[in-house]
Amino acid sequence: MLTGLQGSDSSLMKLNGNGYEDVIVAIDPAMPEDEAIIEGIQADVKVAPAAVPGRDEPYTRQFTGCGERAEYIHFTPDVVLGKKEAEYGPTGRLFVHEWAHLRWGVFDEYNEEEPYYAASSRKIEATRCTVDITGVNKVYKCQGPSCSSRNCRTNSTTKLYERDCQFFPDKDQSEKASIMYMQSIESVTEFCKDENHNKEAPSLHNKKCDQRSTWDVISSSEDFSGNVPMDTPPSPPTFSLLKIHERIACLVLDVSWSMGNHDRLNRLKQAAQYFLMQIIENGSWLGMVHFNNVATTKSELIQINSDADRNELRKLLPSSSGGGTSICSGIRRAFEVFKNGGYPTDGTDILLMSDGEDSTAKECVDEVKKSGSIVHFIALGPNYEAAVPDMSILTGGQFWSSSDDAENNGLMDAFGALTSENAAVTQKSIQLESKGVTLDNSHRLNDTVVIDSTVGKDTFFLVTWMKSAPGISLWDPNGTQVTDFTMDTASKMAYISIPGIAQAGTWTYNLEAKANQEILTITVSSRAANSSVPPITVNAKMNRDTGSFPSPMIVYAEVLQGYTPIIGAHVTAIIESSSGNIKELELLDNGAGADTYKNDGVYSRYFTAYSENGIYSLKVRADGGTNSVRKSLRHPSSRAAYIPGWVVNGEIEGNPPRPETIEAAQPVLENFSRAAPGGAFIVSDVPAGPLPDQYPPSQVTDLQATLDGEEISLTWTAPGDDYDTGRAQQYIIRISENITDLRDNFDEALQVNTTDLLPKEANSKETFAFKPENISEENATYIFIAMKSVDKSNLSSKLSNIAQVILFIPQADASPDSPDVPGSPDGSGSAGGSPQSGVSVSTIVLSVVGSVVLVCIILSATVCVLKKRRSSSNAETPF
């Protein structure tokens, strides 16, 4: 998998001497072993089942912003084995296209949702870069071996081509750009540049990158900052072929005197028992080390094969604390445990739990980095040494934080997330519920948890308390009470494992406190019910490991079943500071604000509610809801363009049709619930006292337009007072006949009267209509519209995407078909009409475009290690 280790916010991939190192290529555990696949990926990628069965679409999972690195590249086995080259081009060229998504954060220069637009040439053009890519627009249909084509008809409403119309490029081309449009064209070897960029096209890159060119985004990345071009051709890539072995891990547990404060030691013991009973996978090797100022080996590596093995380790968990703190001693002792077991440290897991109160921890950071071990750090309390989370970040490990408030259940969440990254998702423990509450005597916590049909195996209910054992009641979906909880009063916990596959449906629980100010928690986890059916999962993360006031951060939560996005869920982020301040945010998949794409299964929101400096922890709850959740069947974003066929000697040579579905989503799924930890992040530079307002409204990215008589009607998603939270104070809408003037000199453009337009609450749908004035209709071909939002502190948002109003009817291809007739609601239409000019405002046709300006660079499409050299003209040319 071309990504950093999953669970880490920072990739291990780096640029060294103009070549990329530590690129990770992985085969999904669900794929059967095939030596041909291993040979095929020695130039490429992550090999996994298709997101939608039967659709071998190469894509990059990209939900961050322009110029930011994406998550991973996804190729199916047939793509790697070269069976889809007719549809997507040679694998090497395909990889270059996806690498640009992954590494440099650029977007596609086509748009299947807006495949055509009205160009200033007064013609209908295919959305592409450059317009010098030649071809024909046809409706092409096949029935069995017999195929036919006809000219495209226009829709009388949009004045663009009908839904079934496709652009077929000529097989023989001379144009060199662009790789981000259609890398499969043999002549294409470059990204776009200023002189050939199609600034009119509504491409995704134009929309997402604030009118910056592809090369402007790429050359601004750290890969090209101060890097000296190569004078010689790049050396061939080298590969290390590694096979996954059993998980090798060591629990490294802090037993210093400070762990005796705030009931920390008992909470550690409860969470570690949960890890041993439910989380660590069978077949794993696990050791245990305790440390204070010195370290002690409590268990050498033993293989986990039974409950007896788990219980043996449970007996060795700490029961007392004392002495100083030496985290380095604990880590070095773990290295000895690995060595004694016959394993090198490279690739091992160190599961470090400590309050982090150790000023000497920085002494072994370099040693840990060189060891190859992956350090997962769970910080308990606010007084950690900064070097300890650095160990996790530098080694690609995970980092969590739990405050001393036991009610947050943070330790359980952290230990529950310590699943093996090498295990198949069907083997991993999945957390369904995680909740805590403080109650007085005789008060109750009544709630439910949904066990859906994708999980149910090894279902585990765990209850903890601080003072006295509570009354515990549990009912299955039939209303039958479940008893036989195991009561471990010494550890202050009770648990039950449901035998077989737990019944799908809503389970109800009741916890009754037996003391005042009692802290009760409940954790529920399960595994996939069927090894061949992937469970619904939630992956949560922040966009960065560190943040500083006043820069906002972004919360992401990805809801999937296998690789298929789940849309329509209710997703909430719970963010807690180290002192216990909690902020809840509803995450949205609406394509506005912090959310890059609508309905892609990634739910997002800006986070600006900083309360203090230090560690913050993230947890996400996702619920299926009633009659709302569906699997998305849409084609994934940031994918290579499918080639419907080529024009050869004036005739279309069609490719196999791409599998399509009539609906964009499957029917409603059953209800489900998940509680997923998202790790921790560190915030700095938060001033004391009330925080000044330094957060403007978020950028409007979905400004759209329709025509209503002589008025232009606009729609967009409302931003907030602080990015996508609250309510903006006012909108400023301006229009111009020149897109560049509007972009570069927005404040000087003609302003629309918005006196009666009062902003709604963030994430509401806004509508506004106006009649354009002072536009020279006789000479103008377009009206361009953009907007900014202003908050109560007079802070202004970034400029929105630009809506384009067309003052002419675009010319269709020459057609012998009948004249234009009204289009049907489904987007089909009639034969193309003749060009017209001098049209009044009442004939305005509207569309939406984003960015302008692209720059060109030659790029080799045949290798997976990208290098940069100096060409004969001394121009920097990345290969």
Side-chain angles (χ1 to χ4, degrees):
M1 180 166 60
L2 285 169
T3 177
L5 295 176
Q6 187 174 346
S8 171
D9 288 336
S10 57
S11 172
L12 299 179
M13 181 169 53
K14 58 182 178 290
L15 184 68
N16 184 12
N18 296 76
Y20 291 96
E21 297 181 348
D22 295 337
V23 177
I24 300 172
V25 181
I27 301 176
D28 190 283
M31 301 306 304
E33 187 168 336
D34 186 340
E35 289 187 7
I37 291 178
I38 294 176
E39 293 173 1
I41 62 174
Q42 289 189 358
D44 297 84
V45 149
K46 171 180 181 177
V47 183
V52 176
R55 295 207 313 222
D56 293 87
E57 296 174 299
Y59 69 92
T60 299
R61 190 59 165 158
Q62 184 179 19
F63 51 75
T64 49
C66 181
E68 298 180 12
R69 294 178 188 175
E71 300 300 298
Y72 57 80
I73 294 172
H74 183 147
F75 281 0
T76 65
D78 280 358
V79 170
V80 173
L81 296 175
K83 297 180 181 180
K84 297 295 178 181
E85 290 194 356
E87 296 93 328
Y88 297 104
T91 309
R93 288 173 168 265
L94 179 59
F95 176 70
V96 173
H97 177 98
E98 298 304 332
W99 179 270
H101 285 306
L102 175 76
R103 182 71 181 183
W104 300 317
V106 296
F107 295 85
D108 293 316
E109 293 187 291
Y110 67 91
N111 188 344
E112 290 189 354
E113 294 186 359
E114 298 179 62
Y116 292 98
Y117 68 99
S120 57
S121 63
R122 298 180 179 266
K123 294 181 179 180
I124 300 174
E125 292 284 2
T127 300
R128 66 196 191 278
C129 188
T130 70
V131 291
D132 292 331
I133 296 289
T134 59
V136 299
N137 303 297
K138 296 287 182 179
V139 174
Y140 184 78
K141 299 288 185 179
C142 294
Q143 186 169 3
S146 177
C147 298
S148 63
S149 66
R150 63 169 173 82
N151 283 356
C152 299
R153 298 166 182 163
T154 57
N155 180 290
S156 62
T157 301
T158 66
K159 304 304 179 190
L160 302 177
Y161 288 134
E162 60 189 299
R163 185 178 60 190
D164 291 336
C165 185
Q166 298 182 87
F167 177 74
F168 292 83
D170 291 327
K171 185 74 171 179
D172 186 15
Q173 302 269 354
S174 59
E175 179 59 37
K176 295 182 178 181
S178 166
I179 289 167
M180 298 314 294
Y181 167 60
M182 195 172 283
Q183 75 293 327
S184 52
I185 296 174
E186 187 174 350
S187 65
V188 168
T189 56
E190 302 177 1
F191 293 106
C192 274
K193 53 186 177 182
D194 281 338
E195 55 264 33
N196 62 3
H197 172 51
N198 182 5
K199 61 183 179 180
E200 297 177 345
S203 69
L204 291 172
H205 183 80
N206 282 351
K207 289 173 177 283
K208 299 294 184 183
C209 288
D210 291 338
Q211 305 177 3
R212 297 171 62 194
S213 73
T214 308
W215 179 238
D216 182 34
V217 175
I218 294 173
S219 61
S220 298
S221 75
E222 63 182 5
D223 290 355
F224 295 90
S225 298
N227 204 24
V228 179
M230 297 177 66
D231 293 319
T232 59
S235 58
T238 58
F239 297 87
S240 297
L241 187 59
L242 306 178
K243 184 175 182 178
I244 294 172
H245 56 63
E246 301 94 343
R247 186 182 191 185
I248 313 298
C250 186
L251 283 169
V252 181
L253 306 177
D254 189 346
V255 295
S256 63
W257 71 268
S258 56
M259 289 295 294
N261 299 330
H262 307 288
D263 200 33
R264 290 175 181 172
L265 193 67
N266 188 60
R267 292 172 59 205
L268 179 154
K269 188 173 181 179
Q270 291 171 338
Q273 289 195 74
Y274 173 50
F275 172 77
L276 292 170
M277 289 189 290
Q278 184 68 7
I279 305 303
I280 185 77
E281 299 84 3
N282 279 336
S284 302
W285 291 83
L286 185 65
M288 187 185 299
V289 168
H290 295 180
F291 71 91
N292 44 32
N293 54 301
V294 296
T296 305
T297 299
K298 305 302 291 186
S299 174
E300 299 288 355
L301 291 175
I302 66 169
Q303 191 168 33
I304 307 297
N305 291 315
S306 65
D307 287 343
D309 298 326
R310 299 171 187 271
N311 291 333
E312 193 64 31
L313 288 170
R314 288 175 60 197
K315 296 175 183 177
L316 301 176
L317 291 171
S319 57
S320 61
S321 60
T325 307
S326 175
I327 290 173
C328 290
S329 294
I331 291 176
R332 289 170 178 144
R333 181 57 63 95
F335 292 161
E336 293 181 18
V337 169
F338 298 142
K339 181 179 179 181
N340 294 341
Y343 291 95
T345 57
D346 191 37
T348 57
D349 284 335
I350 292 178
L351 313 178
L352 172 64
M353 192 279 149
S354 171
D355 57 22
E357 298 179 13
D358 176 14
S359 61
T360 67
K362 57 182 176 290
E363 296 175 1
C364 60
V365 171
D366 289 341
E367 182 181 350
V368 170
K369 184 178 179 181
K370 292 176 182 177
S371 72
S373 282
I374 302 166
V375 177
H376 305 284
F377 173 46
I378 303 172
L380 183 54
N383 300 318
Y384 64 94
E385 172 65 28
V388 189
D390 286 347
M391 292 181 190
S392 293
I393 296 170
L394 290 171
T395 61
Q398 301 180 61
F399 167 43
W400 297 272
S401 172
S402 177
S403 71
D404 284 322
D405 182 3
E407 185 180 316
N408 67 9
N409 212 26
L411 276 185
M412 290 294 182
D413 296 338
F415 272 94
L418 290 173
T419 57
S420 171
E421 295 302 334
N422 292 332
V425 68
T426 54
Q427 299 173 349
K428 295 183 180 183
S429 179
I430 297 171
Q431 193 162 277
L432 311 182
E433 175 69 295
S434 172
K435 186 172 292 186
V437 66
T438 300
L439 297 174
D440 283 334
N441 189 21
S442 300
H443 287 223
R444 300 169 183 264
L445 170 62
N446 298 298
D447 214 330
T448 60
V449 60
V450 176
I451 299 178
D452 60 278
S453 62
T454 70
V455 293
K457 183 181 179 182
D458 297 336
T459 301
F460 189 75
F461 288 79
L462 172 64
V463 176
T464 70
W465 60 90
M466 188 175 68
K467 296 177 181 179
S468 301
I472 303 174
S473 301
L474 176 66
W475 295 269
D476 69 15
N478 292 330
T480 303
Q481 187 165 1
V482 179
T483 55
D484 300 328
F485 271 81
T486 298
M487 305 295 293
D488 183 351
T489 55
S491 300
K492 299 180 180 178
M493 56 190 285
Y495 54 89
I496 187 171
S497 183
I498 306 300
I501 304 297
Q503 182 180 353
T506 301
W507 291 61
T508 303
Y509 61 85
N510 179 298
L511 306 180
E512 181 181 3
K514 300 297 184 181
N516 288 328
Q517 290 299 293
E518 177 67 272
I519 296 178
L520 303 178
T521 75
I522 182 168
T523 306
V524 184
S525 60
S526 189
R527 285 184 167 85
N530 188 326
S531 61
S532 63
V533 178
I536 296 171
T537 59
V538 176
N539 304 308
K541 60 176 285 185
M542 304 298 295
N543 66 323
R544 298 189 304 273
D545 292 317
T546 59
S548 61
F549 180 85
S551 297
M553 297 187 72
I554 301 176
V555 189
Y556 296 113
E558 189 178 25
V559 186
L560 302 170
Q561 184 176 10
Y563 292 96
T564 304
I566 301 297
I567 60 178
H570 181 259
V571 183
T572 303
I574 303 165
I575 299 175
E576 182 176 14
S577 70
S578 55
S579 65
N581 290 319
I582 294 176
K583 174 67 175 180
E584 292 193 6
L585 287 172
E586 180 184 2
L587 306 186
L588 302 172
D589 188 13
N590 62 354
D595 195 61
T596 302
Y597 291 109
K598 183 177 181 179
N599 289 339
D600 66 346
V602 178
Y603 300 75
S604 316
R605 200 74 181 268
Y606 284 106
F607 172 66
T608 60
Y610 302 135
S611 58
E612 60 193 78
N613 293 311
I615 298 179
Y616 290 68
S617 64
L618 167 66
K619 177 163 64 179
V620 166
R621 299 182 63 90
D623 299 291
T626 303
N627 300 325
S628 61
V629 180
R630 296 159 292 155
K631 287 184 183 179
S632 173
L633 300 182
R634 296 176 59 186
H635 298 285
S637 303
S638 300
R639 66 189 183 277
Y642 166 80
I643 308 162
W646 302 96
V647 177
V648 180
N649 296 323
E651 299 293 329
I652 294 177
E653 293 184 358
N655 283 322
R658 181 173 61 175
E660 300 286 357
T661 54
I662 297 176
E663 300 296 332
Q666 288 183 347
V668 173
L669 297 176
E670 63 189 307
N671 200 358
F672 69 89
S673 61
R674 298 290 186 270
F681 58 99
I682 302 171
V683 173
S684 60
D685 298 333
V686 179
L691 300 182
D693 183 2
Q694 297 191 32
Y695 299 118
S698 58
Q699 178 189 25
V700 171
T701 59
D702 60 350
L703 181 63
Q704 298 183 7
T706 56
L707 182 64
D708 183 11
E710 294 188 350
E711 288 188 331
I712 297 175
S713 295
L714 303 177
T715 64
W716 66 94
T717 302
D721 179 80
D722 296 336
Y723 288 94
D724 53 9
T725 299
R727 188 193 301 263
Q729 187 77 11
Q730 71 172 114
Y731 295 124
I732 299 174
I733 299 175
R734 295 180 183 272
I735 60 177
S736 174
E737 300 173 34
N738 186 291
I739 189 173
T740 304
D741 287 346
L742 185 61
R743 181 197 66 196
D744 297 340
N745 303 291
F746 176 79
D747 292 339
E748 298 175 12
L750 180 64
Q751 185 168 353
V752 175
N753 186 348
T754 57
T755 303
D756 298 329
L757 177 58
L758 300 178
K760 297 179 181 178
E761 192 72 17
N763 302 301
S764 302
K765 184 57 68 176
E766 295 274 26
T767 61
F768 178 69
F770 69 96
K771 184 176 180 179
E773 299 176 355
N774 298 324
I775 294 294
S776 55
E777 296 177 21
E778 293 184 1
N779 298 321
T781 55
Y782 295 95
I783 298 176
F784 297 99
I785 311 157
M787 64 183 299
K788 289 185 178 182
S789 311
V790 181
D791 70 5
K792 61 181 181 295
S793 299
N794 206 34
L795 298 175
S796 178
S797 71
K798 291 182 179 179
L799 187 67
S800 71
N801 66 296
I802 298 176
Q804 172 184 303
V805 177
I806 305 165
L807 301 181
F808 59 89
I809 297 177
Q811 178 184 359
D813 293 338
S815 170
D817 294 346
S818 59
D820 196 48
V821 298
S824 61
D826 66 356
S828 62
S830 57
S834 60
Q836 300 181 34
S837 60
V839 182
S840 70
V841 174
S842 63
T843 64
I844 292 172
V845 181
L846 300 124
S847 65
V848 178
V849 299
S851 314
V852 299
V853 197
L854 285 171
V855 182
C856 181
I857 189 81
I858 295 176
L859 187 115
S860 167
T862 58
V863 295
C864 82
V865 174
L866 305 182
K867 300 266 188 176
K868 184 169 65 176
R869 76 176 187 185
R870 189 178 301 279
S871 67
S872 59
S873 63
N874 290 326
E876 292 191 15
T877 307
F879 277 68

